[in-house]
Amino acid sequence: GHMQTLPLRPPLILRKCDLHKLEEGPPLQSTLTREEGLQYYRTMQTIRRMELKADQLYKQKIIRGFCHLYDGQEACAVGIEGGINLSDHLITAYRAHGYTLTRGGTVREIMAELTGRRGGIAKGKGGSMHMYTKHFYGGNGIVGAQVPLGAGVALACKYQGNNELCVCLYGDGAANQGQIFETYNMASLWKLPCIFICENNKYGMGTSVERASASTDYYKRGDFIPGLRVDGMDVLCVREATKFAADHCRSGKGPILMELQT
């Protein structure tokens, strides 16, 4: 008999990225398997439920100290993870609960950490801003300080020659920090395999981006570093852009910048 083939799903059309210093960008269409779709949806939904519960516990004063929630930005974390490997490295700012989960932490460990219990991922000593797992270097409380740290991780990847890369995340609020521009410079000079990602959620501590930044084109602000502006509300847009950025880094072209509008 003849071989039966499953009907191919039509490719999904993606929104075009804005480009800076790039001839071409990520593909404008993508495919999604049923398994991937369910996995992405499950992870995003889990983050959302976890964060809504954390929000409730914070208001009940069961979670004390700081509590920076990731709800509404799930497509960023899940899309990024879909475009890199778990053996790659990731470092972020204090809005870290989502990445702690995608990097291998459990909901139980995260909630225990938030409530200051010893079963927490950092033994209850770190709280919302300071969670770590394998190849995940935290939540960092000093605004922008994780960016040079991430470049150091990327330098280690290059030094060890293991074809790994580091994803360095920061928010629009940190985007005007001087240490970020110093890091851009070093990363470019040394051609570090570093994906700088600005998660632009339009507000830094309640201050709108327009009031805080003379230019809100964060993807262009690496100047000499090529950049992409991506729809951070579409998990597939983020995934394809991340794959594109990862290929750029692994082929030895040095750092690349992504702005996720979320």
Side-chain angles (χ1 to χ4, degrees):
H2 63 283
M3 279 173 64
Q4 272 193 313
T5 52
L6 284 167
L8 275 174
R9 284 193 179 78
L12 300 147
I13 308 301
L14 304 176
R15 235 175 94 184
K16 196 175 185 301
C17 296
D18 298 319
L19 307 179
H20 171 65
K21 296 220 162 161
L22 287 167
E23 292 295 312
E24 54 183 317
L28 293 177
Q29 48 185 41
S30 179
T31 51
L32 183 68
T33 66
R34 183 171 187 275
E35 288 68 36
E36 286 170 338
L38 286 168
Q39 185 203 333
Y40 298 163
Y41 181 66
R42 186 188 181 95
T43 308
M44 285 162 63
Q45 191 69 21
T46 303
I47 294 171
R48 178 65 60 97
R49 290 295 297 271
M50 177 175 79
E51 296 296 65
L52 292 180
K53 184 49 74 175
D55 185 26
Q56 202 181 355
L57 292 173
Y58 190 63
K59 285 163 182 162
Q60 292 169 348
K61 291 192 164 64
I62 293 168
I63 293 173
R64 309 301 292 247
F66 292 101
C67 187
H68 295 284
L69 300 176
Y70 201 71
D71 51 327
Q73 301 183 201
E74 295 88 355
C76 298
V78 174
I80 289 165
E81 295 286 17
I84 58 170
N85 310 315
L86 271 176
S87 55
D88 290 315
H89 307 264
L90 192 141
I91 189 166
T92 188
Y94 46 67
R95 204 174 295 285
H97 310 165
Y99 292 101
T100 309
L101 187 79
T102 61
R103 288 267 116 186
T106 64
V107 174
R108 188 187 178 91
E109 288 172 321
I110 294 165
M111 297 309 279
E113 189 58 43
L114 288 172
T115 50
R117 287 165 161 80
R118 69 179 175 192
I121 202 153
K123 298 189 169 77
K125 298 176 181 186
S128 175
M129 295 198 283
H130 307 291
M131 301 187 190
Y132 312 91
T133 65
K134 196 170 167 62
H135 305 311
F136 174 58
Y137 309 89
N140 288 266
I142 306 293
V143 177
Q146 71 279 5
V147 180
L149 294 178
V153 174
L155 176 61
C157 293
K158 183 166 184 171
Y159 185 76
Q160 291 169 349
N162 53 22
N163 206 29
E164 291 167 7
L165 56 82
C166 185
V167 174
C168 266
L169 293 128
Y170 55 96
D172 52 276
N176 300 309
Q177 287 282 327
Q179 55 192 333
I180 289 179
F181 296 91
E182 294 180 40
T183 306
Y184 289 165
N185 186 55
M186 279 179 160
S188 287
L189 286 173
W190 298 343
K191 288 203 163 22
L192 300 183
C194 195
I195 307 176
F196 296 111
I197 301 184
C198 177
E199 288 183 295
N200 178 6
N201 60 16
K202 314 285 170 68
Y203 287 88
M205 295 299 292
T207 301
S208 74
V209 287
E210 290 78 20
R211 286 176 56 210
S213 293
S215 164
T216 57
D217 289 338
Y218 296 108
Y219 72 109
K220 291 181 179 175
R221 292 184 56 183
D223 184 16
F224 38 79
I225 298 178
L228 298 163
R229 181 161 59 194
V230 185
D231 179 0
M233 300 306 281
D234 182 333
V235 71
L236 292 180
C237 269
V238 177
R239 183 186 73 175
E240 295 307 319
T242 305
K243 280 182 180 169
F244 176 89
D247 289 344
H248 177 98
C249 287
R250 292 195 218 277
S251 63
K253 292 180 189 160
I256 188 165
L257 219 155
M258 281 173 32
E259 174 189 347
L260 306 180
Q261 291 195 315
T262 182

